[in-house]
Amino acid sequence: RKEVEQDPGPFNVPEGATVAFNCTYSNSASQSFFWYRQDCRKEPKLLMSVYSSGNEDGRFTAQLNRASQYISLLIRDSKLSDSATYLCVVNLSGGYNKLIFGAGTRLAVHP
Amino acid sequence: GAGVSQSPSNKVTEKGKDVELRCDPISGHTALYWYRQSLGQGLEFLIYFQGNSAPDKSGLPSDRFSAERTGGSVSTLTIQRTQQEDSAVYLCASKGPAGGDYNEQFFGPGTRLTVL
């Protein structure tokens, strides 16, 4: 079983749609969680961290369920510029600082 | 300030040759990581340097791969006797001083390696 699993997609949605991505992780000792965004042929960039209480940044909402070892990302009012691959990332127990990346979920927003 | 830089941006080599990939992290960042990403795949962890501690080499796929970090700054990833399956984008990332698990890793633009 992969340490971090994501639906590869692609998710093809119209502008303005709401789309949700899910991610599961296998190591219960995981301590911190992130969503990174990667544009085609570019390096990954941090989109947002995922906190236990859930957090929101504009149109983006991230949630964490430690009991189910599950992370989600919700994008509201999708824009064409949201088209990218979204990487779910997990950091093992504190201080270890080794990020485990999921293979990513591809999103394509069309007019 | 300047971000993470990597060189070369593209490298084409023949099977069996050695290659060296360079990473210049953000100044002051104590942690440095190497990953590789094959076409359409996720990032695969290779090696991690943290300050003066012994590096975590657990992700290196074979003994043909090695990396060093000189003076706690620049890092070089060396692949000896390259094979076609080594073709991938090699990404370097750096991270600021210890300050919690939520410090962001900043990635360089990568080196696209093609082994013919």
Side-chain angles (χ1 to χ4, degrees):
Chain A
R1 182 186 172 188
K2 290 182 182 177
E3 292 184 85
V4 178
E5 295 207 56
Q6 297 183 248
D7 180 343
F11 284 62
N12 293 299
V13 303
E15 277 186 289
T18 295
V19 61
F21 305 140
N22 301 320
C23 166
T24 57
Y25 60 94
S26 61
N27 192 327
S28 60
S30 301
Q31 289 291 328
S32 50
F33 311 88
F34 310 86
W35 284 100
Y36 274 69
R37 169 190 169 133
Q38 186 172 27
D39 291 293
C40 188
R41 300 177 76 87
K42 297 286 190 180
E43 71 272 22
K45 292 185 179 177
L46 180 66
L47 176 66
M48 60 194 302
S49 304
V50 186
Y51 302 113
S52 295
S53 56
N55 48 297
E56 187 174 309
D57 183 2
R59 298 182 292 108
F60 299 83
T61 300
Q63 292 195 313
L64 168 65
N65 183 322
R66 285 188 185 271
S68 302
Q69 295 179 201
Y70 167 98
I71 307 158
S72 67
L73 176 68
L74 182 77
I75 305 175
R76 291 182 298 278
D77 188 23
S78 300
K79 311 292 184 190
L80 295 175
S81 57
D82 294 334
S83 297
T85 297
Y86 291 83
L87 305 172
C88 176
V89 186
V90 170
N91 191 358
L92 297 180
S93 53
Y96 191 68
N97 287 312
K98 174 179 165 180
L99 295 185
I100 309 296
F101 284 77
T105 298
R106 194 152 61 88
L107 172 66
V109 182
H110 57 82
Chain B
V4 178
S5 61
Q6 292 186 245
S7 61
S9 54
N10 280 284
K11 177 71 176 179
V12 180
T13 190
E14 293 179 348
K15 178 181 172 182
K17 297 286 177 104
D18 297 351
V19 296
E20 283 190 356
L21 312 180
R22 178 187 168 106
C23 172
D24 281 271
I26 293 172
S27 178
H29 278 192
T30 55
L32 187 148
Y33 304 76
W34 283 98
Y35 299 87
R36 74 175 173 183
Q37 187 172 31
S38 300
L39 189 63
Q41 303 296 313
L43 273 72
E44 176 188 3
F45 166 79
L46 297 177
I47 188 168
Y48 159 53
F49 296 90
Q50 173 64 59
N52 295 321
S53 302
D56 175 356
K57 304 179 183 179
S58 60
L60 295 178
S62 78
D63 58 9
R64 296 186 295 105
F65 288 72
S66 63
E68 61 178 24
R69 189 178 184 192
T70 53
S73 181
V74 171
S75 178
T76 302
L77 176 70
T78 301
I79 309 173
Q80 295 178 309
R81 305 181 303 281
T82 52
Q83 304 294 312
Q84 288 181 332
E85 61 263 29
D86 299 335
S87 296
V89 176
Y90 288 81
L91 290 157
C92 175
S94 73
K95 185 165 171 283
D101 292 336
Y102 280 94
N103 279 2
E104 178 181 354
Q105 284 192 16
F106 292 86
F107 284 84
T111 293
R112 184 172 299 276
L113 175 66
T114 304
V115 182
L116 301 176

